[in-house]
Amino acid sequence: MTEQTDTKTPAKKPGRRSDPATALFAQVKAARKAYAGLAMPIAGGHHPHKGRAHHEREANRWRAADTARKYDGVPGWDSALLAEAYRTLAEPDAGAIRTGLVRMAAIAITAAESLAKEAT
């Protein structure tokens, strides 16, 4: 006679909560499917160098706004995310772009978590 094993998931340990980012990562993973298979450069258009110059100007503008807001005690995710986005898009180096995209994702996830905290 064979013994039957318990296939239930183990109970969570007391005091341990699930990471709230886990649900966000699942949503991002699902949304990412809409972009799967797209192959395009980071800087598009007929004159990508002009685009990068525009992004650099916008990065400087949004960094100044973000810094001023933080100094005044009224920060916002919009200026933090836009400053990082424009800074990243202005980069000519693929490694720096990748690092910036990771930072952008981190800011976006943290902003989404902030919305969830505000709702509770």
Side-chain angles (χ1 to χ4, degrees):
M1 184 170 179
T2 60
E3 292 182 29
Q4 190 174 19
T5 58
D6 188 8
T7 59
K8 292 181 183 176
T9 57
K12 290 184 181 179
K13 293 180 182 178
R16 291 202 46 160
R17 292 186 238 161
S18 63
D19 185 356
T22 302
L24 284 170
F25 289 133
Q27 291 172 335
V28 168
K29 187 176 181 180
R32 195 180 86 188
K33 291 177 183 177
Y35 302 97
L38 292 179
M40 61 180 113
I42 295 294
H46 292 291
H47 304 285
H49 62 283
K50 288 182 180 180
R52 281 194 295 274
H54 166 77
H55 296 321
E56 183 63 37
R57 288 189 301 274
E58 288 297 308
N60 291 335
R61 191 168 74 89
W62 280 105
R63 275 186 270 191
D66 191 48
T67 300
R69 285 176 169 189
K70 288 176 183 173
Y71 181 77
D72 290 343
V74 289
W77 288 114
D78 58 344
S79 59
L81 185 59
L82 287 170
E84 187 60 44
Y86 281 116
R87 176 180 163 199
T88 298
L89 295 173
E91 289 287 348
D93 177 63
I97 292 169
R98 186 183 188 291
T99 299
L101 290 171
V102 169
R103 279 194 307 261
M104 279 176 46
I107 293 168
I109 292 289
T110 306
E113 287 175 328
S114 174
L115 287 172
K117 288 177 187 173
E118 287 177 12
T120 58

